[in-house]
Amino acid sequence: MKFRNFKMVGFVVYGRGCFDQLDEILAPHRKNNVPMVFLLDHFFQDKPLVRRIPLCGNDEIIFADVTYEPKTSYVDKLAQQLKEKFGTVSGIVGVGGGSTMDLAKAVSLMMNNPGSSADYQGWDLVKHPGVYKAGVPTLSGTGAEVSRTCVLTGPVRKLGMNSDFTPFDQIVLDPELTANVPANQRFYTGMDCYIHCIESLNGTYLNEFSKSYGEKALQLCQKIFVEKNSWDDDCDNKLMMASYAGGMSIAYSQVGVAHAVSYGLSYLLGTKHGIGNCIVFDKLEEYYPEGVKEFKYMVEKNKIDIPQQITKGLSDEQFDTMINVSMGMKPLWENALGKDWEKIMTRERLRKLFERL
Ligand code: NAD
Ligand code: ZN
């Protein structure tokens, strides 16, 4: 038995308004005449947050287009652009949702690694540390702020650059930044966290480390989405910590059926991670009976729409593509169903599941 020895985030600051400490936090990482680059979710274009970015010297703000989830081609373009303009940079600071977190991590790595980010999609393929990188989440749930991966869609696969060089050097957890997320988006990304917990806590990889974080994150999600009757600042505080703890939980375990299936949807149809997980989880009563029951209650209570029949009318070839992508997520299936998962989750059974989505 070999135990995972995993790299964690370097520094963490948490609290309402802690974003204002960013200037002080970045100061020791600034190199003479080498800019700090702020990668901001395009949602913040024309928003007051832009004026609070601690710019100095030749620092640059880039607005990240997150209409689609991050692609390797976009990462390569951003890194190339920065290399041409500045040679190198003091650091990359990502400010936004999970997509922006992943973009910031990937661009930081590609500043110091040759070739295309597509060459590094997989496990431990990255050879050199990236430039300094900090993450400031503005949407809670994915756990991308703590994870050792950054999920990218490449020419042949949707897979992260999983490596010890991937986690942020610094994260700034300021729940105030999540105040204005629309209710549907907040729910979809919040449910990503809820589903991380259910998949981790019901998985065969579970140990006391991931259980401790997973139970706490699950409890926080339940407080917010099951017990509370209206959204307030305290919900933002709690969901930000749930995301962090949920991410820590899967760091030492793995996700499961919902994620494996949702990757297939996302690859073929471009369905986004949060909503895709909700669409799939809604139909997983056979695998996670209690979690799915509670999920349905939360959907109803929070008056959220979960799209139905999104795979209706797809061709056999399209179903095969989704099945192939999904079946490729071996560790997820093994965590969910055990070593003999291939005997349990046959292609026929998976096809039936896809047809219900
Ligand atoms: P997202 O980052 O794609 O953002 C969703 C939408 O919310 C966007 O339109 C964005 O502009 C908007 N938004 C962001 N902050 C906002 C704010 N404060 N107010 C209003 N709108 C705001 O969504 P997400 O669910 O956070 O992230 C999904 C991505 O995270 C996917 O690309 C997925 O692959 C990735 N992910 C990564 C990991 C990891 O471990 N690295 C884990 C899970 C998911
Ligand atoms: Zn997820």
Side-chain angles (χ1 to χ4, degrees):
M1 174 90 182
K2 188 149 185 254
F3 297 97
R4 196 176 298 164
N5 181 17
F6 68 91
K7 172 77 177 64
M8 286 168 48
V9 165
F11 286 83
V12 184
V13 56
Y14 171 85
R16 300 185 71 82
C18 72
F19 181 77
D20 290 333
Q21 280 170 235
L22 191 56
D23 197 9
E24 189 186 312
I25 287 170
L26 297 179
H29 303 285
R30 290 180 176 283
K31 297 185 189 121
N32 262 345
N33 290 323
V34 182
M36 194 61 83
V37 172
F38 297 87
L39 191 61
L40 258 66
D41 191 310
H42 64 175
F43 168 78
F44 294 105
Q45 235 159 350
D46 314 319
K47 297 284 188 307
L49 188 70
V50 178
R51 290 195 294 278
R52 293 173 61 199
I53 299 291
L55 290 178
C56 73
N58 54 349
D59 283 1
E60 181 142 315
I61 292 183
I62 298 175
F63 289 101
D65 184 351
V66 296
T67 316
Y68 305 103
E69 294 192 340
K71 292 191 172 66
T72 52
S73 55
Y74 189 39
V75 170
D76 294 349
K77 193 180 113 191
L78 289 171
Q80 194 53 37
Q81 208 172 296
L82 291 172
K83 283 183 202 165
E84 278 165 18
K85 191 160 177 194
F86 303 112
T88 186
V89 299
S90 289
I92 307 278
V93 183
V95 183
S99 297
T100 310
M101 294 296 99
D102 283 356
L103 273 173
K105 292 194 223 180
V107 172
S108 153
L109 293 173
M110 291 317 293
M111 292 305 291
N112 290 345
N113 286 279
S116 162
S117 48
D119 304 337
Y120 304 104
Q121 287 181 279
W123 280 267
D124 303 303
L125 302 173
V126 181
K127 294 287 178 304
H128 308 286
V131 297
Y132 174 81
K133 53 181 157 352
V136 185
T138 66
L139 183 55
S140 298
T142 63
E145 65 278 18
V146 289
S147 75
R148 88 190 278 278
T149 187
C150 49
V151 184
L152 302 174
T153 306
V156 278
R157 53 183 73 90
K158 181 177 177 187
L159 191 59
M161 295 163 78
N162 278 273
S163 83
D164 284 347
F165 301 122
T166 310
F168 282 117
D169 297 297
Q170 169 83 55
I171 55 174
V172 175
L173 304 179
D174 181 349
E176 268 178 15
L177 303 179
T178 64
N180 300 314
V181 182
N184 268 315
Q185 182 66 59
R186 192 167 62 198
F187 186 85
Y188 298 145
T189 303
M191 282 304 113
D192 189 20
C193 175
Y194 180 83
I195 296 167
H196 290 161
C197 296
I198 299 292
E199 292 183 324
S200 169
L201 292 170
N202 292 287
T204 60
Y205 289 2
L206 190 66
N207 60 26
E208 206 56 50
F209 185 103
S210 57
K211 194 173 163 199
S212 307
Y213 283 105
E215 285 178 347
K216 186 67 209 179
L218 183 65
Q219 187 195 66
L220 289 168
C221 288
Q222 288 164 334
K223 282 210 159 73
I224 303 163
F225 294 110
V226 179
E227 292 169 28
K228 287 253 185 182
N229 291 319
S230 64
W231 198 269
D232 56 21
D233 290 351
D234 188 50
C235 295
D236 283 321
N237 299 345
K238 286 191 163 64
L239 191 51
M240 192 160 266
M241 283 319 298
S243 177
Y244 177 93
M248 288 299 291
S249 178
I250 44 178
Y252 225 138
S253 58
Q254 188 44 279
V255 286
V257 182
H259 277 75
V261 176
S262 148
Y263 269 100
L265 278 187
S266 142
Y267 189 83
L268 184 79
L269 304 173
T271 317
K272 290 191 138 202
H273 190 79
I275 193 167
N277 282 348
C278 287
I279 292 169
V280 178
F281 196 69
D282 193 42
K283 303 286 189 284
L284 295 185
E285 58 283 337
E286 205 180 326
Y287 304 92
Y288 306 111
E290 283 172 34
V292 174
K293 193 170 161 215
E294 187 166 64
F295 170 80
K296 287 180 186 289
Y297 177 77
M298 292 186 286
V299 168
E300 209 181 292
K301 171 154 186 173
N302 294 276
K303 303 188 178 65
I304 304 295
D305 301 316
I306 304 297
Q308 304 290 331
Q309 300 197 315
I310 65 162
T311 59
K312 201 175 166 189
L314 293 180
S315 66
D316 285 345
E317 202 186 329
Q318 286 174 312
F319 276 107
D320 277 340
T321 302
M322 292 193 293
I323 293 168
N324 292 342
V325 171
S326 180
M327 283 291 194
M329 314 300 292
K330 295 190 169 64
L332 282 63
W333 290 114
E334 189 180 282
N335 176 47
L337 306 173
K339 289 238 177 296
D340 285 337
W341 67 269
E342 276 163 305
K343 289 190 194 122
I344 304 168
M345 186 45 81
T346 58
R347 290 183 73 90
E348 295 68 42
R349 190 162 173 195
L350 187 52
R351 162 93 188 221
K352 286 215 171 67
L353 176 53
F354 271 116
E355 282 173 359
R356 288 182 62 215
L357 303 179

